[in-house]
Amino acid sequence: MTDNNNKYWKANIALIVKCLAIWFVVSYLFGIVLVDVLNTVRMGGYKLGFWFAQQGSIYTFVILVFYYAKSMGKIDKEFGVDEK
């Protein structure tokens, strides 16, 4: 592999790790581990921990999918492997 290929895959893996870390924090930590602490705060009439467990993690996942696609487009363009 060339040096450019290694840089491309390092950028790709770094983006994946960042997205997975955000998803983990929102779905596991906010929705399960910290649910009791977050339930002391209300959002739209619902307890925040409940909201993260039921809807917040899904919304975050959908946002991360679009963020990943946009960011990969930028990375692809930067390394010259984009679809033209």
Side-chain angles (χ1 to χ4, degrees):
M1 284 186 139
T2 66
D3 188 47
N4 200 36
N5 287 346
N6 286 336
K7 289 179 183 178
Y8 172 79
W9 284 107
K10 283 182 182 181
N12 186 0
I13 297 299
L15 177 62
I16 291 171
V17 168
K18 183 167 69 170
C19 288
L20 285 175
I22 292 169
W23 190 26
F24 172 79
V25 167
V26 171
S27 64
Y28 185 72
L29 292 181
F30 289 176
I32 298 172
V33 175
L34 300 174
V35 71
D36 293 329
V37 175
L38 291 173
N39 277 340
T40 61
V41 177
R42 292 204 173 259
M43 185 173 101
Y46 296 99
K47 295 177 180 177
L48 188 59
F50 174 78
W51 185 84
F52 270 114
Q54 299 301 312
Q55 295 176 341
S57 59
I58 296 169
Y59 290 153
T60 302
F61 176 73
V62 171
I63 291 168
L64 283 174
V65 168
F66 286 104
Y67 172 75
Y68 175 79
K70 184 176 179 179
S71 297
M72 273 310 299
K74 288 179 183 178
I75 291 172
D76 287 348
K77 189 176 277 190
E78 178 184 339
F79 288 94
V81 294
D82 59 325
E83 298 176 11
K84 296 178 182 181

